[in-house]
């Protein structure tokens, strides 16, 4: 069984890396290595795909997600006009990066990372964003977590919010889920007379959003280093085999 599982990982990776035709993902699929998509990648309705390694989507790729994709590491997008009607879930315990040369547009977003997510590319959410755990850092005023009219946002708290810039378009009332990494410091707009867009960030006293995001990045790197140390210690403590006896 384990052998067939490894073969599934290998086949998935080869197809993505070489861009060999269409890769329709049905039911449950998992890749445990870094993937590069230069072909056609399609996730069907009610299907789920998990990437344990990082995922990179090339400028020549055709990426379509009607189901759910769970990212355990980084996501890089270079495809213009990437639009995902399904769910993007960023779930991990190590720092994650959303980056690339082209923005990403998703219908539903789930973020669950106690070590934090760095937004280095604009990410637009259409229908819903569920904060389960962790902070999202967007240091640049040109890099937004953007929401459309009618968005439903749940789970914000002192531990779950955005450090940096959030953009909202439309005319509906909206509360920006921003803060300073320690506390949620929301900003609300109401009773707009016409569709508009607003970009909001919270500046902690004496700190700019860039500085706050830089602090978060340092915390992420520290968490990554601590995890490496913990993994090394755990590996050294693994039993090496053999037996012991006494009289």
């Amino acid at each position: 069984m384990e052998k067939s599982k490894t073969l599934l990982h290998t086949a998935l990776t080869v197809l993505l890396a070489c861009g060999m035709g269409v890769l329709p993902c049905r039911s449950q699929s998992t890749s445990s290595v870094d993937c590069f998509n230069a072909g056609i990648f399609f996730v069907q309705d009610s299907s789920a795909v998990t990437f344990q390694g990082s995922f990179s989507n090339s400028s020549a790729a055709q990426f379509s997600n009607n189901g759910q994709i769970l990212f355990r590491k980084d996501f890089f997008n270079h495809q213009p006009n990437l639009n995902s009607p399904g769910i993007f879930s960023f779930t991990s315990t190590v720092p994650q990066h959303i980056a690339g040369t082209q923005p990403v547009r998703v219908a539903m977003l789930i973020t669950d990372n106690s070590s934090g997510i760095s937004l280095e590319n604009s990410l637009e959410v259409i229908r819903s964003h569920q904060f389960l755990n962790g902070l999202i850092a967007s240091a640049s005023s040109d890099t937004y977590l953007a929401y459309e009219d009618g968005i439903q946002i749940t789970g914000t708290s002192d531990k779950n919010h955005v450090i940096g810039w959030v953009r909202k378009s439309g005319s509906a009332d909206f509360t920006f889920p921003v803060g300073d990494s320690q506390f949620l410091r929301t900003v609300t707009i109401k009773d707009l007379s016409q569709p508009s867009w607003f970009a909001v960030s919270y500046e902690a006293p004496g700190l700019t959003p860039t500085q706050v995001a830089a602090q978060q990045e340092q915390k992420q790197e520290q968490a990554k280093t601590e995890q490496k140390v913990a993994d090394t210690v755990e590996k050294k403590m693994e039993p090496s085999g053999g037996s012991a006896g006494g009289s």
Side-chain angles (χ1 to χ4, degrees):
M1 184 68 180
E2 188 62 33
K3 183 178 180 181
S4 64
K5 185 177 180 181
T6 303
L7 288 174
L8 171 63
H9 294 170
T10 304
L12 180 64
T13 305
V14 169
L15 285 168
L16 287 173
C18 299
M20 296 170 57
V22 179
L23 179 60
C25 295
R26 304 179 180 87
S27 187
Q28 300 264 344
S29 300
T30 302
S31 171
S32 61
V33 294
D34 294 343
C35 291
F36 177 81
N37 177 35
I40 301 173
F41 179 81
F42 175 63
V43 181
Q44 294 183 333
D45 294 348
S46 303
S47 298
V49 177
T50 298
F51 290 103
Q52 301 288 356
S54 65
F55 182 91
S56 182
N57 196 48
S58 78
S59 59
Q62 297 181 44
F63 181 103
S64 181
N65 169 37
N66 291 333
Q68 178 171 356
I69 301 179
L70 190 153
F71 298 97
R72 295 288 189 185
K73 289 191 177 178
D74 301 333
F75 175 71
F76 304 91
N77 180 56
H78 305 286
Q79 175 188 332
N81 303 315
L82 191 155
N83 191 350
S84 169
I87 302 171
F88 265 34
S89 178
F90 292 91
T91 302
S92 186
T93 56
V94 298
Q96 289 178 286
H97 299 263
I98 301 174
T101 57
Q102 294 293 329
V104 179
R105 179 181 169 93
V106 303
M108 291 166 280
L109 176 67
I110 299 173
T111 51
D112 184 5
N113 190 328
S114 58
S115 295
I117 298 170
S118 291
L119 189 60
E120 300 161 18
N121 191 10
S122 292
L123 175 62
E124 183 175 351
V125 189
I126 304 169
R127 290 173 53 188
S128 66
H129 181 184
Q130 185 178 12
F131 284 86
L132 294 181
N133 195 13
L135 303 170
I136 301 174
S138 58
S140 170
S141 58
D142 296 325
T143 303
Y144 296 95
L145 177 58
Y147 296 114
E148 286 198 358
D149 241 358
I151 186 76
Q152 293 184 347
I153 300 176
T154 59
T156 55
S157 68
D158 289 340
K159 294 183 178 180
N160 306 336
H161 58 262
V162 180
I163 311 166
W165 292 94
V166 173
R167 177 170 171 163
K168 165 64 170 56
S169 60
S171 58
D173 296 351
F174 182 74
T175 299
F176 290 83
V178 294
D180 63 0
S181 80
Q182 299 297 320
F183 300 102
L184 178 66
R185 293 288 186 258
T186 59
V187 176
T188 299
I189 53 175
K190 299 183 66 176
D191 302 326
L192 298 179
S193 59
Q194 61 183 10
S196 308
W197 69 264
F198 293 84
V200 170
S201 68
Y202 176 80
E203 290 192 21
L207 295 176
T208 66
T210 300
Q211 291 170 328
V212 173
Q215 287 184 348
Q216 176 65 13
E217 185 72 20
Q218 290 176 352
K219 291 179 181 179
Q220 292 179 352
E221 291 301 323
Q222 182 179 354
K224 188 184 298 184
T225 301
E226 291 174 351
Q227 184 63 48
K228 287 182 180 179
V229 172
D231 291 343
T232 301
V233 171
E234 183 178 354
K235 187 174 182 180
K236 288 182 179 180
M237 294 178 65
E238 290 179 352
S240 58
S243 61
S247 57

